[in-house]
C-alpha cells in the first residue's frame, strides 16, 4: 500500500515511528506492507516512489524542521495539493491540525484525494465536523474509503466498538466525556478545591491544554466528536452548527460542592439523544462514565445489548497514530475483500 502522509507534526511523526517499529509484524501478521511514498509538511515535501526511508525522514524533520530539505528526494515549497494530485498512491493520511472555521487545509486535501481516486485516513476533526455528510457522499461517489478512528478517543477504539462491536444492533443514544483537557480541569477543581482558572493553568503547564485552550474549554472539540459519532454510528446528518454547545468556564467550586453532597459530580458530557448537545452535566459518581483526569469515556445505549461503556486515553501522538494504523489495516482488508467479490 502506497501512502502519502500530509502533515508531519506529532501524529505524523508518531505514525512514521509506529510503521518503523511494527514493519516486520504488520507484514507477517496482516500481509500489510506500507510504503510512504511522500511526506508533506509546512516547508515542502519529500517524494520517493520506491518508499521513503522513515528513519531518515524523522531525523531530517528533527534537524531542519522540514523534510523538504532532503538532498535527493526533497521538494522545498511544493504544495500539499500538488503532491496529493501528482504522486501515485492508494491512500492519503491527512493529519494536519484541526480548523473548525473553514476546515482548511484538511478539507481541500481530502477532496483532492477523493478526486484523484485515493482513500483517506484522517485525524483532522475540522473537515468532518463541518461537512461529514457531504464528505461521506463524496467518498461513495468516488468509490473510495474515508476513515477517521483517531478523531474520537485518540487510540481508544470508540468508533469501532459501536460500528463493529455492536454490528446489527441499533444505537439509540450516546453520551460521553469526549475531551481530556476539560475532564482534567473539572477533576482537579473538585479534588484540590481550586478554581477553574487555577486548574486550567495546571493543565497548560502539564501540556494538556493548549495555550489558547478555547477549543477544549468552550466545548468545541467535544462537539466535533459528537458530530462525528452521530454521522458514523447513528447515520444522522449533523454538522457542527446543529450541536448546542456550552463549555465549562462557568462551572464553579460551589456547584461542584453541591453536586458532591448528592453523591454526584459535574462532567462535560457530549450527548446524542434527540438533539446533539455538549454541556456541563451532573452525573452520579457511580456512573461508569465518571472517569477522572484526562481519560475519555463513552456509553452506547443500544436497543438489544443494553449499555456499554468504553474508557481510555483520548489523546496523544502514539495513541492517535495507532488509530491511523488500524484504519489503514481496515482499508487494506476492505480492498482485499473487494477483490474476492
Ligand atoms: N484536546 C483534546 C482533548 C485532544 O483534550 O481531549 C484531542 O482531541
Amino acid at each position: 500500500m502506497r501512502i502519502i502522509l500530509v502533515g508531519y507534526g506529532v501524529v505524523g511523526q508518531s505514525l512514521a515511528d509506529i510503521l518503523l517499529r511494527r514493519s516486520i509484524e504488520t507484514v507477517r501478521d496482516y500481509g500489510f506492507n506500507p510504503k510512504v511514498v511522500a511526506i508533506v509538511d509546512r516547508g515542502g515535501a519529500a517524494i520517493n516512489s520506491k518508499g521513503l526511508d522513515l528513519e531518515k525522514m524523522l531525523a531530517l524533520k528533527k534537524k531542519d524542521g522540514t523534510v523538504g530539505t532532503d538532498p535527493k528526494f526533497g521538494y522545498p515549497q511544493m504544495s500539499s495539493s500538488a503532491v496529493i494530485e501528482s504522486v501515485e498512491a492508494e491512500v492519503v493520511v491527512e493529519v494536519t491540525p484541526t480548523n473548525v472555521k473553514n476546515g482548511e487545509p484538511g478539507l481541500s486535501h481530502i477532496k483532492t484525494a477523493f478526486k484523484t481516486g485515493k482513500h483517506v485516513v484522517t485525524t483532522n476533526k475540522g473537515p468532518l465536523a463541518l461537512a461529514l455528510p457531504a464528505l461521506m457522499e463524496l467518498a461513495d461517489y468516488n468509490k473510495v474509503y474515508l476513515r477517521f478512528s483517531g478523531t474520537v478517543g485518540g487510540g481508544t477504539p470508540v468508533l469501532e466498538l459501536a460500528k463493529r462491536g455492536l454490528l446489527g444492533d441499533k444505537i439509540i443514544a450516546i453520551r460521553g466525556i469526549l475531551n481530556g483537557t476539560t475532564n482534567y480541569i473539572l477533576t482537579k477543581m473538585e479534588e484540590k478545591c481550586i478554581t477553574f482558572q487555577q486548574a486550567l493553568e495546571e493543565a497548560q503547564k502539564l501540556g494538556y491544554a493548549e495555550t489558547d485552550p478555547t477549543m477544549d474549554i468552550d466545548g468545541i472539540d467535544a462537539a466535533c466528536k459528537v458530530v462525528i459519532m452521530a454521522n458514523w454510528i447513528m447515520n444522522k446528518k449533523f454538522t457542527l452548527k446543529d450541536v448546542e454547545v456550552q463549555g465549562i468556564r462557568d462551572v464553579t467550586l460551589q456547584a461542584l460542592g453541591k453536586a458532591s453532597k448528592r453523591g454526584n459530580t459535574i462532567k462535560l458530557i457530549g450527548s446524542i439523544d434527540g438533539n446533539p448537545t455538549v454541556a456541563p452535566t451532573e452525573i452520579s459518581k457511580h456512573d461508569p462514565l465518571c472517569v477522572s483526569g484526562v481519560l475519555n469515556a463513552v456509553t452506547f445505549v443500544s436497543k438489544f445489548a443494553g449499555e456499554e461503556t468504553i474508557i481510555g486515553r483520548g489523546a496523544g501522538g502514539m495513541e492517535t497514530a495507532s488509530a491511523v494504523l488500524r484504519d489503514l489495516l481496515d482499508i487494506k482488508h476492505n480492498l482485499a475483500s473487494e477483490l474476492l467479490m
Side-chain angles (χ1 to χ4, degrees):
M1 177 185 275
R2 293 168 299 178
I3 296 167
I4 297 172
L5 180 52
V6 183
Y8 205 41
V10 177
V11 177
Q13 290 174 62
S14 299
L15 179 67
D17 197 2
I18 290 185
L19 292 179
L20 271 171
R21 288 203 231 167
R22 295 276 289 143
S23 61
I24 294 165
E25 288 99 328
T26 54
V27 173
R28 188 194 60 208
D29 300 343
Y30 310 105
F32 177 62
N33 192 8
K35 259 197 313 190
V36 179
V37 290
I39 298 177
V40 195
D41 61 28
R42 285 199 181 109
I47 302 172
N48 179 4
S49 59
K50 294 197 178 84
L52 291 162
D53 179 335
L54 293 179
E55 216 158 331
K56 275 197 187 144
M57 289 296 115
L58 284 168
L60 191 60
K61 180 76 181 175
K62 220 177 212 165
K63 182 166 87 58
D64 292 350
T66 174
V67 294
T69 51
D70 187 281
K72 202 160 165 205
F73 303 112
Y75 293 82
Q77 309 308 328
M78 186 165 177
S79 77
S80 40
S81 301
V83 175
I84 297 169
E85 264 169 26
S86 63
V87 174
E88 280 188 32
E90 282 70 45
V91 184
V92 169
V93 172
E94 210 288 337
V95 288
T96 61
T98 291
N99 160 9
V100 290
K101 289 208 172 83
N102 59 13
E104 295 298 352
L107 189 57
S108 295
H109 293 157
I110 295 172
K111 287 199 230 164
T112 308
F114 287 172
K115 276 187 212 146
T116 52
K118 296 173 180 94
H119 310 286
V120 172
V121 174
T122 188
T123 58
N124 188 336
K125 289 167 287 218
L128 308 186
L130 297 175
L132 190 47
L135 287 173
M136 282 164 69
E137 257 181 45
L138 200 61
D140 275 352
Y141 178 79
N142 286 284
K143 299 190 171 48
V144 290
Y145 294 106
L146 170 64
R147 292 291 180 270
F148 37 82
S149 300
T151 55
V152 183
T156 310
V158 175
L159 298 180
E160 289 102 319
L161 174 69
K163 192 86 173 169
R164 275 196 232 137
L166 291 165
L167 192 68
D169 207 329
K170 183 175 169 60
I171 311 283
I172 303 162
I174 302 175
R175 50 178 192 273
I177 293 175
L178 302 165
N179 181 270
T181 305
T182 45
N183 203 46
Y184 179 85
I185 292 171
L186 293 172
T187 305
K188 291 298 152 190
M189 282 173 74
E190 184 171 9
E191 271 176 15
K192 295 166 117 184
C193 230
I194 54 176
T195 62
F196 166 76
Q197 199 54 41
Q198 287 167 319
L200 171 60
E201 277 160 25
E202 204 173 282
Q204 280 173 320
K205 258 189 222 139
L206 289 167
Y208 296 142
E210 305 293 324
T211 322
D212 173 11
T214 320
M215 280 274 292
D216 294 312
I217 59 183
D218 288 336
I220 316 290
D221 177 70
C224 290
K225 292 164 181 169
V226 161
V227 169
I228 293 166
M229 290 199 292
N231 280 273
W232 187 239
I233 298 168
M234 297 173 87
N235 212 16
K236 310 261 189 203
K237 305 289 176 213
F238 293 146
T239 62
L240 197 52
K241 64 178 172 8
D242 299 310
V243 189
E244 203 177 295
V245 190
Q246 190 191 333
I248 63 161
R249 283 181 201 266
D250 298 331
V251 177
T252 60
L253 277 174
Q254 288 85 334
L256 280 164
K258 277 187 190 164
S260 186
K261 281 195 188 123
R262 293 189 280 265
N264 298 340
T265 188
I266 298 172
K267 296 290 188 188
L268 185 68
I269 302 288
S271 163
I272 313 156
D273 187 1
N275 289 340
T277 58
V278 171
T281 308
E282 191 168 323
I283 63 168
S284 162
K285 286 189 176 163
H286 300 295
D287 190 314
L289 271 190
C290 191
V291 293
S292 59
V294 287
L295 285 175
N296 282 195
V298 181
T299 298
F300 294 106
V301 183
S302 63
K303 188 161 184 177
F304 302 110
E307 292 196 5
E308 300 80 27
T309 300
I310 182 166
I311 297 170
R313 275 185 284 175
M318 282 312 226
E319 289 84 348
T320 309
S322 81
V324 173
L325 177 60
R326 289 203 305 271
D327 283 347
L328 290 169
L329 286 165
D330 181 50
I331 290 176
K332 185 208 168 277
H333 177 80
N334 288 348
L335 293 175
S337 310
E338 278 176 16
L339 284 178
L340 297 176
M341 287 204 291

